[in-house]
Amino acid sequence: MLAVVHSYWVHGVEGQSVRVEVKVQKGLPIFTVVGLPAGAVREGKERVFAALAQTGLALPPRRITVNLAPADLPKSGSGFDLPIAIALLAAFGHVPPASLSRSAFVGELGLDGSVRRVRGAIALAMRCRADGRARLFVPGGNAGEASAVPGIDVAGVWGLEELIGILRGERAPVAAAASQPLPPAAQPDLREVRGQALAKRALMIAAAGGHSLLMSGPPGAGKTMLARRLPGILPPLSEAESLEVTRVHSVAGLLDQDHPVKTVRPFRAPHHTISAGGLIGGGNPPRPGEISLAHLGVLFLDELPEFSRAVLETLRQPIESGYARIARVRHTVTFPARFQLLAAMNPCPCGMTGDDCICRDREVHRYRSRLSGPLLDRVDLQIPVAPVGWEQLTGAADALQPDSGAVREAVVRARARQAVRRCAGRPVLNALVPAREVMEVCRLTDAGENLLEEGVRRYRLSARSVHRTLRVARTIADLARQERLSQRAVAEALRLRAGLQAAVTAPGSGHLVHSPPQPLG
Protein backbone atom coordinates (compact mmCIF):
# COMPACT_ATOMS: atom_id res chain seq x y z
CA MET A 1 0.00 0.00 0.00
CA LEU A 2 1.45 3.34 -1.12
CA ALA A 3 0.10 6.85 -0.52
CA VAL A 4 1.47 10.25 -1.54
CA VAL A 5 0.63 13.59 0.10
CA HIS A 6 1.99 16.99 -0.86
CA SER A 7 3.38 19.30 1.79
CA TYR A 8 5.75 22.24 2.26
CA TRP A 9 8.45 23.39 4.61
CA VAL A 10 10.41 26.63 5.03
CA HIS A 11 13.97 26.88 3.75
CA GLY A 12 15.26 30.33 4.68
CA VAL A 13 12.16 32.42 3.99
CA GLU A 14 11.05 30.45 0.94
CA GLY A 15 8.54 27.62 0.88
CA GLN A 16 9.86 24.33 -0.51
CA SER A 17 7.74 21.53 -1.98
CA VAL A 18 7.94 18.07 -0.40
CA ARG A 19 6.31 14.79 -1.46
CA VAL A 20 5.44 12.76 1.60
CA GLU A 21 5.46 9.14 0.41
CA VAL A 22 4.25 6.40 2.76
CA LYS A 23 4.77 2.70 2.04
CA VAL A 24 3.02 0.13 4.25
CA GLN A 25 4.18 -3.51 4.09
CA LYS A 26 3.85 -6.69 6.07
CA GLY A 27 6.69 -7.45 8.39
CA LEU A 28 8.15 -6.34 11.68
CA PRO A 29 6.39 -3.21 13.02
CA ILE A 30 9.06 -0.61 12.24
CA PHE A 31 8.47 3.07 11.47
CA THR A 32 11.28 4.66 9.42
CA VAL A 33 11.55 8.22 8.10
CA VAL A 34 14.09 8.85 5.32
CA GLY A 35 14.94 11.93 3.30
CA LEU A 36 17.36 13.72 5.68
CA PRO A 37 14.82 14.47 8.44
CA ALA A 38 15.87 16.65 11.39
CA GLY A 39 15.15 15.69 14.99
CA ALA A 40 11.71 17.32 15.13
CA VAL A 41 10.67 15.41 12.00
CA ARG A 42 11.85 12.05 13.35
CA GLU A 43 10.13 12.64 16.69
CA GLY A 44 6.88 13.33 14.84
CA LYS A 45 6.25 9.56 14.73
CA GLU A 46 5.19 9.56 18.38
CA ARG A 47 2.90 12.58 17.91
CA VAL A 48 1.30 11.02 14.82
CA PHE A 49 0.52 7.66 16.45
CA ALA A 50 -0.83 9.29 19.62
CA ALA A 51 -3.07 11.66 17.60
CA LEU A 52 -4.39 8.80 15.46
CA ALA A 53 -5.17 6.74 18.54
CA GLN A 54 -7.00 9.72 20.05
CA THR A 55 -9.32 9.80 17.01
CA GLY A 56 -10.08 6.07 17.34
CA LEU A 57 -8.07 5.10 14.26
CA ALA A 58 -5.23 3.15 15.80
CA LEU A 59 -3.24 1.47 13.04
CA PRO A 60 -2.37 -2.25 12.93
CA PRO A 61 1.31 -3.17 13.35
CA ARG A 62 3.03 -2.95 9.97
CA ARG A 63 6.37 -2.06 8.47
CA ILE A 64 6.01 1.65 7.58
CA THR A 65 8.49 3.70 5.55
CA VAL A 66 8.07 7.45 5.10
CA ASN A 67 10.12 9.17 2.39
CA LEU A 68 10.41 12.97 2.22
CA ALA A 69 11.32 13.84 -1.36
CA PRO A 70 13.55 15.34 -2.58
CA ALA A 71 15.73 13.18 -0.39
CA ASP A 72 18.98 15.13 -0.76
CA LEU A 73 17.80 18.31 1.04
CA PRO A 74 17.69 18.42 4.88
CA LYS A 75 14.13 18.81 6.25
CA SER A 76 13.34 20.52 9.54
CA GLY A 77 10.31 21.69 11.49
CA SER A 78 7.22 20.03 12.91
CA GLY A 79 4.89 20.79 10.00
CA PHE A 80 5.23 17.29 8.53
CA ASP A 81 3.13 15.68 11.31
CA LEU A 82 -0.19 16.36 9.59
CA PRO A 83 0.78 15.21 6.05
CA ILE A 84 2.40 12.04 7.44
CA ALA A 85 -0.79 11.25 9.38
CA ILE A 86 -3.00 11.84 6.32
CA ALA A 87 -0.71 9.71 4.13
CA LEU A 88 -0.90 6.88 6.67
CA LEU A 89 -4.70 7.09 6.75
CA ALA A 90 -4.80 7.02 2.94
CA ALA A 91 -2.47 4.02 2.82
CA PHE A 92 -4.70 2.10 5.24
CA GLY A 93 -7.86 3.13 3.37
CA HIS A 94 -9.37 5.42 6.00
CA VAL A 95 -9.57 8.42 3.63
CA PRO A 96 -10.16 8.34 -0.16
CA PRO A 97 -6.97 9.01 -2.19
CA ALA A 98 -8.98 11.15 -4.64
CA SER A 99 -9.49 13.79 -1.92
CA LEU A 100 -5.72 14.35 -1.76
CA SER A 101 -5.03 14.98 -5.45
CA ARG A 102 -4.92 18.80 -5.57
CA SER A 103 -4.53 19.55 -1.86
CA ALA A 104 -1.51 20.14 0.35
CA PHE A 105 -1.20 19.77 4.12
CA VAL A 106 0.94 21.44 6.77
CA GLY A 107 0.66 21.29 10.54
CA GLU A 108 1.99 20.02 13.84
CA LEU A 109 -0.04 17.47 15.79
CA GLY A 110 -0.62 17.40 19.52
CA LEU A 111 -1.01 14.16 21.43
CA ASP A 112 -4.72 14.94 21.78
CA GLY A 113 -5.19 15.19 18.02
CA SER A 114 -5.16 18.98 17.87
CA VAL A 115 -3.43 20.77 14.97
CA ARG A 116 -0.98 23.41 16.15
CA ARG A 117 0.59 26.46 14.53
CA VAL A 118 3.76 26.32 12.46
CA ARG A 119 6.20 29.01 11.37
CA GLY A 120 6.23 30.53 7.91
CA ALA A 121 2.64 29.75 6.89
CA ILE A 122 2.53 32.69 4.49
CA ALA A 123 5.70 31.48 2.73
CA LEU A 124 4.14 28.03 2.42
CA ALA A 125 0.95 29.49 0.96
CA MET A 126 2.94 31.47 -1.60
CA ARG A 127 4.75 28.33 -2.69
CA CYS A 128 1.51 26.36 -2.83
CA ARG A 129 0.02 29.01 -5.11
CA ALA A 130 3.11 28.89 -7.34
CA ASP A 131 2.74 25.08 -7.61
CA GLY A 132 -0.88 25.43 -8.76
CA ARG A 133 -2.43 23.53 -5.85
CA ALA A 134 -6.14 24.18 -5.39
CA ARG A 135 -6.25 24.04 -1.58
CA LEU A 136 -3.89 24.28 1.36
CA PHE A 137 -4.89 22.86 4.74
CA VAL A 138 -3.13 24.68 7.58
CA PRO A 139 -3.58 24.86 11.35
CA GLY A 140 -6.48 27.09 12.38
CA GLY A 141 -4.04 29.43 14.10
CA ASN A 142 -2.26 30.03 10.78
CA ALA A 143 -5.37 30.39 8.63
CA GLY A 144 -5.64 34.18 8.82
CA GLU A 145 -1.97 34.61 7.94
CA ALA A 146 -1.98 32.18 5.01
CA SER A 147 -5.23 33.59 3.60
CA ALA A 148 -3.47 36.92 3.01
CA VAL A 149 -1.97 35.34 -0.11
CA PRO A 150 -4.45 35.89 -2.96
CA GLY A 151 -5.27 33.23 -5.51
CA ILE A 152 -5.32 30.17 -3.24
CA ASP A 153 -8.01 28.42 -1.20
CA VAL A 154 -6.82 28.17 2.42
CA ALA A 155 -8.69 25.99 4.92
CA GLY A 156 -7.87 26.09 8.61
CA VAL A 157 -8.35 22.99 10.75
CA TRP A 158 -8.13 22.76 14.53
CA GLY A 159 -8.09 18.98 14.92
CA LEU A 160 -7.18 15.80 13.04
CA GLU A 161 -10.70 14.38 13.44
CA GLU A 162 -12.14 17.50 11.79
CA LEU A 163 -9.81 17.11 8.81
CA ILE A 164 -10.67 13.42 8.40
CA GLY A 165 -14.34 14.36 8.22
CA ILE A 166 -13.62 16.94 5.51
CA LEU A 167 -11.61 14.46 3.41
CA ARG A 168 -14.36 11.84 3.72
CA GLY A 169 -16.95 14.38 2.58
CA GLU A 170 -18.81 14.24 5.89
CA ARG A 171 -18.38 17.96 6.55
CA ALA A 172 -17.58 21.02 4.48
CA PRO A 173 -14.25 22.79 4.91
CA VAL A 174 -14.40 26.21 6.50
CA ALA A 175 -12.64 28.73 4.28
CA ALA A 176 -10.27 30.94 6.22
CA ALA A 177 -11.28 34.58 6.47
CA ALA A 178 -8.54 37.04 5.70
CA SER A 179 -7.30 38.64 8.88
CA GLN A 180 -7.87 42.33 9.39
CA PRO A 181 -4.63 44.30 9.57
CA LEU A 182 -3.83 45.98 12.85
CA PRO A 183 -4.60 49.70 12.68
CA PRO A 184 -1.30 51.57 12.58
CA ALA A 185 -0.27 53.05 15.90
CA ALA A 186 0.27 56.78 16.14
CA GLN A 187 3.83 57.68 15.18
CA PRO A 188 5.85 60.35 17.01
CA ASP A 189 5.76 63.64 15.13
CA LEU A 190 8.81 65.28 13.61
CA ARG A 191 7.54 68.67 14.73
CA GLU A 192 8.15 67.64 18.35
CA VAL A 193 11.91 67.87 17.73
CA ARG A 194 13.14 71.40 18.53
CA GLY A 195 15.77 72.89 16.26
CA GLN A 196 17.98 70.45 14.34
CA ALA A 197 17.13 71.84 10.90
CA LEU A 198 20.09 70.06 9.27
CA ALA A 199 19.22 66.69 10.83
CA LYS A 200 15.56 67.01 9.85
CA ARG A 201 16.54 67.82 6.29
CA ALA A 202 18.89 64.84 6.17
CA LEU A 203 16.15 62.63 7.59
CA MET A 204 13.75 63.70 4.84
CA ILE A 205 16.35 63.10 2.13
CA ALA A 206 17.12 59.68 3.59
CA ALA A 207 13.41 58.78 3.60
CA ALA A 208 12.84 60.05 0.06
CA GLY A 209 15.71 58.14 -1.53
CA GLY A 210 16.15 55.18 0.85
CA HIS A 211 19.61 56.41 1.86
CA SER A 212 21.59 55.33 4.91
CA LEU A 213 22.29 58.00 7.55
CA LEU A 214 24.84 58.40 10.35
CA MET A 215 24.36 61.09 13.00
CA SER A 216 27.18 62.12 15.34
CA GLY A 217 26.65 64.35 18.34
CA PRO A 218 26.89 64.61 22.13
CA PRO A 219 24.43 62.82 24.44
CA GLY A 220 21.02 64.46 24.64
CA ALA A 221 21.28 66.27 21.30
CA GLY A 222 18.25 64.39 19.96
CA LYS A 223 19.78 61.66 17.74
CA THR A 224 17.56 58.85 19.03
CA MET A 225 14.53 61.15 19.06
CA LEU A 226 15.12 61.94 15.41
CA ALA A 227 15.65 58.29 14.51
CA ARG A 228 12.37 57.24 16.11
CA ARG A 229 10.55 59.64 13.78
CA LEU A 230 11.86 58.21 10.52
CA PRO A 231 9.12 55.53 10.21
CA GLY A 232 6.50 58.27 10.50
CA ILE A 233 7.69 59.98 7.31
CA LEU A 234 8.14 56.81 5.24
CA PRO A 235 5.37 55.86 2.78
CA PRO A 236 3.12 52.93 3.76
CA LEU A 237 3.86 49.42 2.56
CA SER A 238 2.32 48.29 -0.70
CA GLU A 239 0.42 45.00 -0.79
CA ALA A 240 3.39 43.13 -2.25
CA GLU A 241 5.78 44.68 0.28
CA SER A 242 3.41 43.81 3.11
CA LEU A 243 3.51 40.14 2.10
CA GLU A 244 7.33 40.23 1.96
CA VAL A 245 7.62 41.70 5.45
CA THR A 246 4.99 39.36 6.87
CA ARG A 247 6.76 36.34 5.38
CA VAL A 248 10.06 37.16 7.12
CA HIS A 249 8.41 37.80 10.47
CA SER A 250 6.33 34.64 10.10
CA VAL A 251 9.46 32.53 9.62
CA ALA A 252 10.96 34.19 12.71
CA GLY A 253 7.79 33.43 14.71
CA LEU A 254 7.14 37.09 15.54
CA LEU A 255 3.63 37.58 14.17
CA ASP A 256 0.67 38.69 16.24
CA GLN A 257 -1.88 35.86 16.07
CA ASP A 258 -4.83 38.26 16.01
CA HIS A 259 -3.34 40.63 13.42
CA PRO A 260 -0.66 38.65 11.57
CA VAL A 261 -0.37 40.75 8.41
CA LYS A 262 2.25 43.52 8.66
CA THR A 263 1.14 46.87 7.28
CA VAL A 264 3.75 49.13 8.93
CA ARG A 265 7.41 49.28 7.95
CA PRO A 266 9.54 47.50 10.57
CA PHE A 267 11.84 49.48 12.86
CA ARG A 268 14.51 47.34 14.50
CA ALA A 269 16.92 48.70 17.11
CA PRO A 270 19.18 45.86 18.38
CA HIS A 271 21.41 46.34 21.44
CA HIS A 272 25.11 46.88 20.82
CA THR A 273 25.96 43.53 22.49
CA ILE A 274 24.31 41.60 19.62
CA SER A 275 26.32 38.82 17.98
CA ALA A 276 27.06 38.48 14.28
CA GLY A 277 24.54 35.64 14.02
CA GLY A 278 21.87 37.72 15.74
CA LEU A 279 22.45 40.60 13.33
CA ILE A 280 22.94 38.74 10.04
CA GLY A 281 21.07 35.52 10.82
CA GLY A 282 22.16 32.02 11.68
CA GLY A 283 21.46 29.00 13.85
CA ASN A 284 20.53 25.47 12.91
CA PRO A 285 18.29 25.66 10.98
CA PRO A 286 19.21 29.25 10.04
CA ARG A 287 16.78 31.95 11.19
CA PRO A 288 16.52 35.56 9.99
CA GLY A 289 18.66 38.11 11.81
CA GLU A 290 17.90 41.73 12.64
CA ILE A 291 18.81 42.98 9.17
CA SER A 292 16.22 40.65 7.65
CA LEU A 293 13.62 41.57 10.25
CA ALA A 294 14.26 45.18 9.15
CA HIS A 295 13.65 44.24 5.49
CA LEU A 296 11.84 47.12 3.70
CA GLY A 297 12.10 49.10 6.94
CA VAL A 298 14.67 50.73 9.19
CA LEU A 299 17.62 49.22 11.08
CA PHE A 300 18.69 51.65 13.81
CA LEU A 301 22.10 51.09 15.39
CA ASP A 302 22.44 53.40 18.40
CA GLU A 303 25.92 53.94 19.90
CA LEU A 304 27.44 52.58 16.69
CA PRO A 305 31.11 52.34 17.83
CA GLU A 306 30.02 50.26 20.85
CA PHE A 307 29.12 47.40 18.51
CA SER A 308 31.82 44.83 17.92
CA ARG A 309 33.88 45.74 14.86
CA ALA A 310 33.62 42.17 13.60
CA VAL A 311 29.83 42.41 13.85
CA LEU A 312 29.69 45.73 12.01
CA GLU A 313 31.90 44.45 9.21
CA THR A 314 29.30 41.80 8.40
CA LEU A 315 27.00 44.62 7.25
CA ARG A 316 29.18 45.58 4.31
CA GLN A 317 27.92 42.95 1.87
CA PRO A 318 24.19 43.14 2.79
CA ILE A 319 24.18 46.95 2.46
CA GLU A 320 25.36 46.59 -1.13
CA SER A 321 23.43 43.50 -2.20
CA GLY A 322 20.17 43.71 -0.23
CA TYR A 323 20.36 40.14 1.05
CA ALA A 324 22.25 38.01 3.58
CA ARG A 325 23.58 34.60 2.58
CA ILE A 326 24.19 31.99 5.28
CA ALA A 327 26.39 29.13 4.03
CA ARG A 328 26.29 25.70 5.65
CA VAL A 329 27.96 22.43 4.68
CA ARG A 330 24.87 20.89 3.12
CA HIS A 331 23.02 23.96 1.90
CA THR A 332 22.99 27.76 1.59
CA VAL A 333 20.17 29.98 2.83
CA THR A 334 19.47 33.47 1.49
CA PHE A 335 17.51 36.00 3.55
CA PRO A 336 16.19 39.29 2.13
CA ALA A 337 17.80 42.32 3.80
CA ARG A 338 16.90 45.47 1.87
CA PHE A 339 16.91 47.69 4.93
CA GLN A 340 17.58 51.38 5.48
CA LEU A 341 20.51 51.84 7.84
CA LEU A 342 20.19 54.58 10.45
CA ALA A 343 22.99 54.96 13.00
CA ALA A 344 23.97 57.31 15.80
CA MET A 345 27.22 57.81 17.66
CA ASN A 346 29.02 60.14 20.04
CA PRO A 347 32.02 62.13 18.77
CA CYS A 348 34.31 60.54 21.38
CA PRO A 349 34.13 58.08 24.33
CA CYS A 350 33.03 60.73 26.83
CA GLY A 351 30.49 62.08 24.36
CA MET A 352 31.36 65.73 24.81
CA THR A 353 33.00 68.10 22.37
CA GLY A 354 35.29 71.10 22.55
CA ASP A 355 36.59 72.23 25.92
CA ASP A 356 34.30 69.83 27.80
CA CYS A 357 35.93 66.73 26.29
CA ILE A 358 38.13 64.79 28.72
CA CYS A 359 39.34 62.18 26.23
CA ARG A 360 42.92 61.85 25.09
CA ASP A 361 43.75 61.89 21.40
CA ARG A 362 44.66 58.22 21.54
CA GLU A 363 41.29 57.33 23.07
CA VAL A 364 39.40 59.33 20.47
CA HIS A 365 41.39 57.67 17.68
CA ARG A 366 40.73 54.20 19.10
CA TYR A 367 37.03 54.98 19.48
CA ARG A 368 36.59 56.20 15.92
CA SER A 369 38.75 53.43 14.45
CA ARG A 370 36.09 50.91 15.43
CA LEU A 371 34.28 52.10 12.30
CA SER A 372 36.25 51.01 9.26
CA GLY A 373 36.65 53.16 6.18
CA PRO A 374 34.93 50.64 3.88
CA LEU A 375 31.86 50.59 6.16
CA LEU A 376 31.64 54.39 6.41
CA ASP A 377 32.10 54.62 2.65
CA ARG A 378 28.80 52.76 2.31
CA VAL A 379 26.86 55.29 4.44
CA ASP A 380 25.30 57.90 2.15
CA LEU A 381 24.68 60.71 4.65
CA GLN A 382 26.96 61.59 7.58
CA ILE A 383 25.98 64.63 9.60
CA PRO A 384 26.89 66.29 12.91
CA VAL A 385 24.08 66.90 15.41
CA ALA A 386 24.75 69.88 17.66
CA PRO A 387 23.18 70.40 21.11
CA VAL A 388 19.91 72.33 21.16
CA GLY A 389 20.18 75.82 22.65
CA TRP A 390 18.10 77.09 25.55
CA GLU A 391 16.14 79.47 23.35
CA GLN A 392 15.09 76.69 20.97
CA LEU A 393 14.30 74.30 23.80
CA THR A 394 12.11 76.65 25.84
CA GLY A 395 10.72 78.91 23.15
CA ALA A 396 7.49 78.48 21.25
CA ALA A 397 7.46 75.72 18.63
CA ASP A 398 8.11 76.95 15.11
CA ALA A 399 4.72 76.90 13.42
CA LEU A 400 6.41 77.04 10.01
CA GLN A 401 8.05 73.66 10.54
CA PRO A 402 5.89 70.99 8.86
CA ASP A 403 4.74 67.95 10.78
CA SER A 404 5.46 64.35 9.84
CA GLY A 405 2.38 64.19 7.62
CA ALA A 406 3.54 67.08 5.43
CA VAL A 407 7.06 65.67 5.19
CA ARG A 408 5.63 62.26 4.27
CA GLU A 409 3.70 63.86 1.41
CA ALA A 410 6.94 65.35 0.05
CA VAL A 411 8.64 61.96 0.41
CA VAL A 412 5.80 60.21 -1.43
CA ARG A 413 5.99 62.73 -4.28
CA ALA A 414 9.75 62.23 -4.58
CA ARG A 415 9.36 58.46 -4.61
CA ALA A 416 6.67 58.75 -7.28
CA ARG A 417 9.21 60.51 -9.52
CA GLN A 418 11.66 57.66 -8.89
CA ALA A 419 9.01 55.06 -9.75
CA VAL A 420 8.48 56.63 -13.18
CA ARG A 421 12.26 56.61 -13.79
CA ARG A 422 12.76 52.86 -14.22
CA CYS A 423 16.16 51.18 -13.90
CA ALA A 424 16.82 47.75 -15.39
CA GLY A 425 13.13 47.65 -16.33
CA ARG A 426 11.77 48.19 -12.82
CA PRO A 427 11.27 51.11 -10.41
CA VAL A 428 13.99 51.46 -7.77
CA LEU A 429 14.83 53.97 -5.09
CA ASN A 430 17.65 56.37 -5.80
CA ALA A 431 19.86 54.66 -3.23
CA LEU A 432 19.54 51.41 -5.21
CA VAL A 433 20.20 52.73 -8.73
CA PRO A 434 22.66 50.28 -10.36
CA ALA A 435 26.17 51.63 -10.89
CA ARG A 436 25.93 51.17 -14.66
CA GLU A 437 22.93 53.55 -14.79
CA VAL A 438 24.01 56.19 -12.27
CA MET A 439 25.37 58.65 -14.86
CA GLU A 440 22.27 58.24 -17.01
CA VAL A 441 19.83 58.78 -14.13
CA CYS A 442 21.87 61.52 -12.43
CA ARG A 443 22.38 64.02 -15.24
CA LEU A 444 24.27 67.12 -14.10
CA THR A 445 24.12 70.74 -15.14
CA ASP A 446 27.45 72.27 -16.16
CA ALA A 447 27.78 74.11 -12.83
CA GLY A 448 26.86 70.97 -10.93
CA GLU A 449 29.45 68.93 -12.82
CA ASN A 450 32.18 71.48 -12.10
CA LEU A 451 31.35 71.50 -8.39
CA LEU A 452 31.31 67.72 -8.20
CA GLU A 453 34.68 67.53 -9.95
CA GLU A 454 36.24 69.86 -7.39
CA GLY A 455 34.54 68.01 -4.52
CA VAL A 456 36.05 64.73 -5.73
CA ARG A 457 39.52 66.26 -5.71
CA ARG A 458 39.17 68.02 -2.36
CA TYR A 459 37.65 65.13 -0.43
CA ARG A 460 39.45 62.41 -2.39
CA LEU A 461 36.20 60.57 -2.97
CA SER A 462 36.31 56.97 -4.11
CA ALA A 463 34.33 55.80 -7.11
CA ARG A 464 31.71 54.40 -4.73
CA SER A 465 31.51 57.75 -2.90
CA VAL A 466 31.04 59.62 -6.19
CA HIS A 467 28.14 57.36 -7.14
CA ARG A 468 26.57 57.68 -3.71
CA THR A 469 26.93 61.45 -3.82
CA LEU A 470 25.20 61.49 -7.19
CA ARG A 471 22.37 59.36 -5.86
CA VAL A 472 21.88 61.72 -2.91
CA ALA A 473 21.92 64.72 -5.25
CA ARG A 474 19.33 62.94 -7.41
CA THR A 475 17.05 62.64 -4.38
CA ILE A 476 17.53 66.32 -3.52
CA ALA A 477 16.62 67.23 -7.09
CA ASP A 478 13.54 64.98 -6.92
CA LEU A 479 12.37 66.76 -3.77
CA ALA A 480 12.82 70.07 -5.62
CA ARG A 481 11.10 68.62 -8.73
CA GLN A 482 14.13 69.21 -10.93
CA GLU A 483 15.23 67.03 -13.84
CA ARG A 484 18.96 67.81 -13.78
CA LEU A 485 21.25 68.03 -10.78
CA SER A 486 21.97 71.68 -10.13
CA GLN A 487 24.98 73.17 -8.35
CA ARG A 488 22.84 73.63 -5.26
CA ALA A 489 21.79 69.96 -5.21
CA VAL A 490 25.38 68.80 -5.64
CA ALA A 491 26.61 71.22 -2.95
CA GLU A 492 24.07 69.91 -0.44
CA ALA A 493 24.86 66.30 -1.36
CA LEU A 494 28.58 66.88 -0.87
CA ARG A 495 27.97 68.61 2.43
CA LEU A 496 25.82 65.75 3.69
CA ARG A 497 28.23 63.17 2.29
CA ALA A 498 31.35 64.79 3.74
CA GLY A 499 29.21 65.35 6.78
CA LEU A 500 31.33 65.05 9.84
CA GLN A 501 34.16 66.93 8.12
CA ALA A 502 31.94 69.68 6.95
CA ALA A 503 31.63 72.03 4.05
CA VAL A 504 31.97 72.34 0.33
CA THR A 505 34.45 74.53 -1.50
CA ALA A 506 33.20 76.51 -4.45
CA PRO A 507 35.02 75.89 -7.72
CA GLY A 508 37.75 78.37 -8.46
CA SER A 509 37.45 80.24 -5.17
CA GLY A 510 39.20 80.19 -1.86
CA HIS A 511 36.17 80.47 0.38
CA LEU A 512 33.65 77.91 1.54
CA VAL A 513 30.18 77.74 0.08
CA HIS A 514 27.83 76.62 2.83
CA SER A 515 24.68 74.91 1.66
CA PRO A 516 22.07 75.88 4.25
CA PRO A 517 19.34 73.40 5.14
CA GLN A 518 16.48 73.61 2.66
CA PRO A 519 12.83 73.85 3.74
CA LEU A 520 11.32 70.51 4.64
CA GLY A 521 8.07 70.89 2.81
Side-chain angles (χ1 to χ4, degrees), residues 139-382:
N142 292 117
E145 171 192 348
S147 62
V149 180
I152 183 174
D153 184 12
V154 174
V157 292
W158 296 96
L160 181 58
E161 190 172 359
E162 173 191 356
L163 178 56
I164 293 173
I166 293 173
L167 296 178
R168 288 175 172 175
E170 299 170 356
R171 64 170 72 184
V174 179
S179 62
Q180 296 299 319
L182 183 67
Q187 298 284 352
D189 202 308
L190 194 61
R191 185 181 284 177
E192 298 169 354
V193 181
R194 299 296 183 92
Q196 304 298 4
L198 174 63
K200 290 179 181 179
R201 173 69 176 173
L203 209 63
M204 183 174 71
I205 294 171
H211 302 288
S212 50
L213 170 63
L214 170 61
M215 298 178 286
S216 176
K223 303 185 295 295
T224 302
M225 191 176 184
L226 285 160
R228 294 287 179 183
R229 279 148 182 79
L230 179 57
I233 64 175
L234 291 173
L237 290 170
S238 66
E239 182 178 352
E241 290 175 333
S242 178
L243 288 179
E244 280 194 60
V245 174
T246 304
R247 180 179 62 173
V248 176
H249 285 248
S250 174
V251 172
L254 299 178
L255 291 183
D256 183 349
Q257 187 171 350
D258 297 327
H259 303 280
V261 179
K262 292 283 186 180
T263 57
V264 179
R265 294 187 183 274
F267 182 88
R268 305 293 299 185
H271 193 262
H272 63 260
T273 57
I274 192 172
S275 65
L279 187 65
I280 301 300
N284 189 21
R287 299 292 185 194
E290 289 291 333
I291 64 172
S292 296
L293 296 176
H295 179 57
L296 298 179
V298 179
L299 177 69
F300 177 47
L301 302 182
D302 201 3
E303 305 294 344
L304 186 64
E306 299 298 335
F307 285 78
S308 166
R309 177 162 179 164
V311 172
L312 291 178
E313 290 303 299
T314 61
L315 289 174
R316 286 160 56 175
Q317 183 265 340
I319 289 175
E320 293 282 336
S321 63
Y323 61 84
R325 182 164 291 164
I326 311 298
R328 294 291 182 263
V329 174
R330 292 179 180 269
H331 57 90
T332 299
V333 178
T334 301
F335 294 117
R338 200 163 69 248
F339 58 92
Q340 188 168 348
L341 177 63
L342 184 57
M345 61 176 286
N346 296 326
C348 62
C350 75
M352 303 303 173
T353 56
D355 297 335
D356 295 329
C357 181
I358 61 173
C359 301
R360 299 178 180 178
D361 292 344
R362 182 185 304 173
E363 294 172 337
V364 175
H365 176 73
R366 186 184 302 115
Y367 179 76
R368 294 182 179 177
S369 65
R370 297 177 187 175
L371 306 179
S372 68
L375 178 62
L376 289 177
D377 201 39
R378 288 168 167 82
V379 180
D380 296 339
L381 309 174
Q382 303 173 25

Side-chain angles (χ1 to χ4, degrees), residues 413-466:
R413 287 195 300 268
R415 290 203 174 193
R417 293 175 65 89
Q418 298 167 52
V420 174
R421 190 189 308 118
R422 305 175 75 85
C423 297
R426 61 187 180 90
V428 296
L429 294 176
N430 287 334
L432 304 176
V433 173
R436 63 181 178 274
E437 299 188 34
V438 167
M439 301 308 297
E440 177 66 24
V441 171
C442 305
R443 292 179 176 270
L444 293 153
T445 62
D446 292 340
E449 185 173 356
N450 292 335
L451 180 59
L452 180 60
E453 182 181 356
E454 182 163 345
V456 171
R457 287 199 307 267
R458 166 161 293 203
Y459 295 111
R460 299 179 182 178
L461 300 181
S462 66
R464 180 191 291 118
S465 293
V466 172

